[in-house]
Amino acid sequence: MNIESLNRRLYGSKLLVYTLMRRTTYGLTILSVGLLLYAHGVVESPVRLQKLYYAIDGILAVFVFIYLLRILYTFERIRFLRRTWFEGLLMAIIFINEFCTYLLGFPVIYTVFESIGIPLSVEFYRVLISLYMLVLLMIELFETRVHLLTLQLKPSVTFIFSFIFLILGGAALLMLPKMTNAPEGIRFVDAVFMSASAACVTGLAVVDPGTYLTFSGQVVLLLLIQLGGLGILTFATFFASWMKLGLGMKQHVAMHEILESESLFHTKGLLPKLIFLTFFIEGVGAMVVFSTWGPDAQFTNLGSKIFFSVFHSISAFCNAGFSLYPEGLYTDPIRSSYVLHVVIAILIILGGLGFPTILDVLSPSNMRRRLEAPWKEWKMLSKVTIYTSAALIIVGMIGFFLLEYFNTLSHLNFAESLVASFFQSVTTRTAGFNTVDISELNVPTLLLMMVLMFIGGSPGSTAGGIKTTTFTVILLSVWTTIRNKRNLEIGKRTIPHSIAYKAFSVLAFAVMINIVSIFILSITDAQFDILKLAFEQVSAFATVGLSTGITAGLSDAGKAVIIMSMFIGRVGTLTLAVALSTRNSFTNYKYPETHLVVG
């Protein structure tokens, strides 16, 4: 029987088989994820765990069978295999592992990874496969146009609700019994706080992630950081475009607003590059971090060292600031690992520059194009973000060095003091790692850091704050007003007045939110000094994560204030304001002018 006659025989049953496969995939994916959560979050009995793993392996075997059916019922089979090569590779791994495990009695994955000192390899394998199937489920939902129900909302509203969903889902996971080492588990308020801090890539913590959370809890925290750093909507839209037919206009509008790209045309090509660039930088960063741990940094096994490297690389690039050490990078084993500090600082800078800038400056195609045509300059956004970021890092570094040279830097030599000052200047602008004791800093240093935290990183990045471009536009607006010039100019270009209005709106929202929050904190947590409360609040709003050590001691009401500040700081004050506002249907009019004295 040739291929053409086989296709004709299968054609009549294709629609029915595809419907059954899709429904089976829906049900089994949800079931496998549920079983994994139950196994890793609740079940203690080894016998029951083994039964659950047998059930999960059975579900994975069904996934392999469904994939083979899809190949059979796809008439362009070579094209299908090329398009689903990654899924095919996973299915091949599942088949080989289960064939060897259950028929030959030789568990391949367990044997290979345990032999090189990486424990929990089978659990990793099952989790990764189930997460991938969950992604496929999301793609199927996109294909059946369920996503249009959510995208009927404004993109900013969708973006906000995606973070609310992520925070609440993360809190529910962290409250599972096996996610923490505490017999009584984690309180609801604390679970929401940790989930919000991770999803909003802040880094403030009411418990120590390295000791309070189990390995499963740490993995949940890492997933929240990764999803929160790029935005869950970004991931959903990316996988739908990568695996299937692409994006519609509404998805492009959503990504245009969220990524703050220059136009819809730029957004179209930005998304796949954004995801791959993120994983590439984090992967390279993890390998470099792995090789730069100090000699005193002790790990239980190779798997632990790899996980610590991956965790800190992702946490640094996403500007989250979470560390698995009790005092962050100030902990004794790595306090003097200055090469590691520089590597973490570079990852923080890359994460805070913004994806449009990284792609414009560092993408191979653009670098090659500029080598061929040296007169081609960076885009204006790239110039502003890079120059402003460099200026702020230098100012912060010099300021920290001068203010702390006889205080927290007094035990270091000149070179070590420079590295520590550089690191603190970098991390202050939304990363949250620390290599000095923040609680021992001088008051002027805390005030300087608050200013840097408030400014934050750049648009389209994982960083928070009012953003470097907002700060630059405000300075230029003030300078233009002082010089009595009509137009706002930069680099022989005129900035529209609407951009200046937006910059001052962001500043006004940010100032009001912080003032109101500090006022409430001064009532709910009056036991703490007002400067420490202000530092905590600005750190939360700017999604930085630095603290003078009062986070765990905050009242529940104070924690609620910080949670809301982290959320508003992550989704953006202007995005939140636009999402909650109603637009005028007609604005093409102008009232008579009047004079109002200011200043």
Side-chain angles (χ1 to χ4, degrees):
M1 180 184 299
N2 58 32
I3 295 178
E4 188 174 340
S5 60
L6 174 64
N7 291 344
R8 280 198 299 267
R9 285 176 176 271
L10 295 174
Y11 184 78
S13 60
K14 182 175 182 179
L15 183 60
L16 175 62
V17 171
Y18 262 79
T19 302
L20 290 175
M21 285 193 297
R22 177 171 292 182
R23 291 177 179 176
T24 303
T25 302
Y26 282 171
L28 291 182
T29 299
I30 294 172
L31 179 61
S32 66
V33 173
L35 290 176
L36 277 169
L37 292 177
Y38 183 60
H40 290 284
V42 179
V43 178
E44 298 282 357
S45 169
V47 176
R48 183 176 294 180
L49 274 176
Q50 191 60 50
K51 290 180 180 178
L52 285 173
Y53 290 150
Y54 286 151
I56 294 170
D57 284 344
I59 292 173
L60 297 182
V62 176
F63 285 152
V64 174
F65 178 72
I66 290 175
Y67 183 75
L68 294 175
L69 274 182
R70 288 167 62 197
I71 296 176
L72 180 64
Y73 276 88
T74 300
F75 298 154
E76 296 180 347
R77 295 179 179 86
I78 301 299
R79 184 179 179 184
F80 174 81
L81 289 173
R82 288 175 179 172
R83 184 166 61 88
T84 62
W85 65 269
F86 185 72
E87 184 181 353
L89 179 62
L90 287 180
M91 296 302 112
I93 293 173
I94 294 173
F95 176 79
I96 293 171
N97 182 67
E98 298 205 356
F99 180 82
C100 293
T101 301
Y102 293 103
L103 295 181
L104 303 181
F106 178 73
V108 176
I109 291 180
Y110 180 85
T111 304
V112 170
F113 282 90
E114 286 289 332
S115 65
I116 59 176
I118 302 180
L120 301 173
S121 55
V122 179
E123 287 78 359
F124 266 132
Y125 155 77
R126 293 191 179 102
V127 168
L128 290 175
I129 297 295
S130 296
L131 285 176
Y132 183 79
M133 298 313 298
L134 184 61
V135 169
L136 288 184
L137 175 62
M138 292 172 61
I139 294 168
E140 294 295 336
L141 293 176
F142 266 69
E143 269 201 335
T144 54
R145 298 184 179 276
V146 173
H147 66 291
L148 290 179
L149 296 176
T150 59
L151 290 180
Q152 294 297 327
L153 301 171
K154 288 183 288 188
S156 52
V157 176
T158 308
F159 184 58
I160 289 172
F161 274 104
S162 71
F163 270 92
I164 294 175
F165 171 79
L166 186 62
I167 290 170
L168 294 179
L173 291 177
L174 290 176
M175 291 183 70
L176 294 175
K178 289 175 65 177
M179 293 295 172
T180 63
N181 290 311
E184 69 280 3
I186 190 171
R187 297 169 61 237
F188 174 73
V189 173
D190 293 338
V192 173
F193 190 102
M194 293 297 292
S195 180
S197 185
C200 299
V201 290
T202 303
L204 290 173
V206 291
V207 297
D208 176 26
T211 56
Y212 191 88
L213 298 180
T214 62
F215 176 75
S216 298
Q218 292 168 2
V219 170
V220 169
L221 197 70
L222 186 61
L223 290 175
L224 289 172
I225 292 171
Q226 185 71 88
L227 289 172
L230 293 178
I232 190 170
L233 181 63
T234 307
F235 272 98
T237 308
F238 163 71
F239 282 113
S241 63
W242 180 46
M243 298 294 296
K244 299 297 177 182
L245 300 177
L247 304 178
M249 181 57 69
K250 288 190 176 183
Q251 290 96 322
H252 281 305
V253 172
M255 297 315 302
H256 168 64
E257 292 195 13
I258 293 167
L259 297 176
E260 303 180 69
S261 57
E262 296 178 359
S263 67
L264 294 180
F265 175 78
H266 287 91
T267 302
K268 184 176 181 180
L270 176 63
L271 194 55
K273 296 178 182 177
L274 181 152
I275 300 292
F276 285 119
L277 182 66
T278 298
F279 290 154
F280 176 77
I281 293 176
E282 289 174 346
V284 173
M287 289 188 288
V288 178
V289 169
F290 180 88
S291 64
T292 54
W293 291 113
D296 297 328
Q298 300 296 322
F299 300 94
T300 55
N301 50 49
L302 178 61
S304 175
K305 187 174 183 180
I306 291 174
F307 181 72
F308 267 62
S309 303
V310 172
F311 188 98
H312 285 84
S313 176
I314 293 176
S315 182
F317 181 72
C318 289
N319 281 207
F322 277 104
S323 175
L324 296 178
Y325 290 101
E327 296 180 86
L329 301 185
Y330 184 65
T331 306
D332 263 332
I334 55 173
R335 185 182 300 180
S336 57
S337 301
Y338 295 106
V339 177
L340 172 67
H341 299 171
V342 172
V343 172
I344 295 292
I346 293 172
L347 287 170
I348 294 169
I349 292 172
L350 289 174
L353 278 179
F355 294 106
T357 299
I358 295 175
L359 290 171
D360 178 38
V361 176
L362 298 178
S363 69
S365 58
N366 286 339
M367 293 176 68
R368 184 167 55 252
R369 193 177 300 117
R370 290 194 181 95
L371 286 175
E372 296 171 354
W375 62 87
K376 289 189 176 181
E377 297 182 342
W378 295 341
K379 294 177 182 177
M380 185 56 68
L381 175 64
S382 303
K383 292 181 180 179
V384 172
T385 54
I386 290 176
Y387 294 152
T388 306
S389 298
L392 290 172
I393 289 173
I394 293 172
V395 169
M397 176 182 173
I398 296 173
F400 190 92
F401 181 84
L402 295 176
L403 293 172
E404 292 297 317
Y405 189 72
F406 295 105
N407 187 30
T408 56
L409 302 178
S410 59
H411 63 288
L412 305 177
N413 61 40
F414 182 77
E416 293 171 343
S417 297
L418 285 179
V419 174
S421 300
F422 167 73
F423 186 90
Q424 294 310 134
S425 179
V426 169
T427 193
T428 299
R429 293 183 41 251
T430 84
F433 290 102
N434 62 294
T435 58
V436 298
D437 187 354
I438 302 297
S439 63
E440 296 296 324
L441 296 178
N442 293 319
V443 171
T445 310
L446 292 176
L447 294 175
L448 173 65
M449 294 176 74
M450 287 171 65
V451 172
L452 293 174
M453 289 192 297
F454 186 77
I455 296 171
S458 301
S461 72
T462 57
I466 63 171
K467 302 296 191 294
T468 52
T469 49
T470 304
F471 176 68
T472 302
V473 170
I474 290 172
L475 286 183
L476 291 173
S477 299
V478 172
W479 181 244
T480 300
T481 302
I482 291 173
R483 297 178 61 192
N484 199 27
K485 294 186 67 175
R486 184 178 181 84
N487 295 320
L488 184 61
E489 299 170 349
I490 180 172
K492 297 183 179 179
R493 294 290 189 273
T494 299
I495 300 176
H497 289 294
S498 60
I499 301 297
Y501 297 154
K502 182 178 179 180
F504 279 102
S505 298
V506 170
L507 177 65
F509 274 116
V511 170
M512 287 189 293
I513 288 168
N514 280 283
I515 289 176
V516 171
S517 298
I518 292 171
F519 177 75
I520 297 174
L521 287 172
S522 69
I523 298 173
T524 62
D525 295 87
Q527 71 273 23
F528 295 118
D529 181 74
I530 188 64
L531 179 61
K532 292 185 176 180
L533 291 174
F535 189 90
E536 193 85 5
Q537 164 57 31
V538 174
S539 178
F541 169 78
T543 68
V544 176
L546 291 174
S547 175
T548 55
I550 68 172
T551 310
L554 292 173
S555 64
D556 287 349
K559 290 175 183 176
V561 172
I562 296 298
I563 290 171
M564 186 59 63
S565 296
M566 291 189 293
F567 176 75
I568 294 175
R570 180 66 184 102
V571 301
T573 51
L574 198 62
T575 301
L576 187 63
V578 171
L580 299 178
S581 68
T582 56
R583 297 180 180 178
N584 292 325
S585 56
F586 180 72
T587 58
N588 191 24
Y589 59 84
K590 180 181 178 182
Y591 290 116
E593 293 185 358
T594 186
H595 182 69
L596 187 65
V597 178
V598 295

